[in-house]
């Protein structure tokens, strides 16, 4: 089943957290990832990574997502959609990650949903 990991990041901001995470990521994972800006002000970073078990969603929350209730979803070009283990409350300068243990599904992207406003943010697609 999928794994949900919440980690406290030590960097001072969303961009700094993204750079720190990518600098420490294993070479195989770093080779296939894509990110986009997320949050009402675009200060947070939302990424999708290739993972041995499937796909990993990763959010580096900044001030613009403070106290928001968020939810990760995986949407694939083959028509399949996968939810995670439910929504979570975001806090600034915190990293959130979820592994969608779904194997190879081809081209997929992560959608982050703000449960309070209904706003969504999508990563670019990756193929595995």
């Amino acid at each position: 089943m999928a794994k949900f990991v919440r980690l406290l990041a030590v960097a001072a901001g969303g961009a700094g957290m993204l750079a720190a995470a990518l600098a420490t990521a294993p070479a195989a994972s770093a080779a296939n990832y894509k990110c986009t800006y997320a949050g009402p002000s675009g200060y947070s970073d939302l990424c999708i990574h290739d993972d041995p078990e499937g796909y990993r969603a990763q959010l580096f929350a900044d001030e613009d997502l403070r106290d928001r209730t968020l939810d990760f979803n995986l949407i694939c070009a083959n028509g399949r959609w996968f939810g995670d283990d439910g929504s979570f409350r975001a806090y600034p300068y915190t990293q959130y990650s979820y592994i969608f243990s779904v194997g190879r599904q081809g081209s997929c992207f992560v959608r982050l949903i703000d449960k309070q406003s209904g706003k969504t943010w999508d990563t670019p697609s990756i193929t595995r």
Side-chain angles (χ1 to χ4, degrees):
M1 208 38 141
K3 298 177 206 159
F4 190 68
V5 181
R6 293 181 187 198
L7 302 170
L8 178 61
V10 255
M17 289 188 299
L18 177 59
L22 295 179
T24 59
S29 294
N32 196 10
Y33 72 91
K34 296 205 177 155
C35 299
T36 191
Y37 296 116
S41 301
Y43 297 148
S44 299
D45 297 298
L46 177 64
C47 301
I48 184 170
H49 298 261
D50 187 16
D51 185 88
E53 296 180 28
Y55 304 81
R56 180 167 43 105
Q58 192 167 31
L59 173 67
F60 301 94
D62 207 318
E63 287 291 338
D64 60 342
L65 290 175
R66 177 185 291 277
D67 296 325
R68 306 304 298 177
T69 301
L70 305 172
D71 191 36
F72 287 126
N73 290 269
L74 183 72
I75 301 169
C76 301
N78 64 7
R80 298 197 66 193
W81 168 91
F82 303 93
D84 60 5
D85 288 334
S87 57
F88 58 95
R89 189 175 193 112
Y91 297 96
Y93 316 114
T94 305
Q95 174 184 327
Y96 301 89
S97 182
Y98 184 84
I99 297 174
F100 291 93
S101 298
V102 297
R104 295 183 185 277
Q105 297 293 323
S107 180
C108 298
F109 65 91
V110 168
R111 174 169 288 162
L112 181 68
I113 302 170
D114 181 332
K115 297 297 224 175
Q116 288 139 300
S117 70
K119 178 103 172 106
T120 63
W121 298 274
D122 296 342
T123 65
S125 295
I126 64 168
T127 302
R128 81 172 301 276

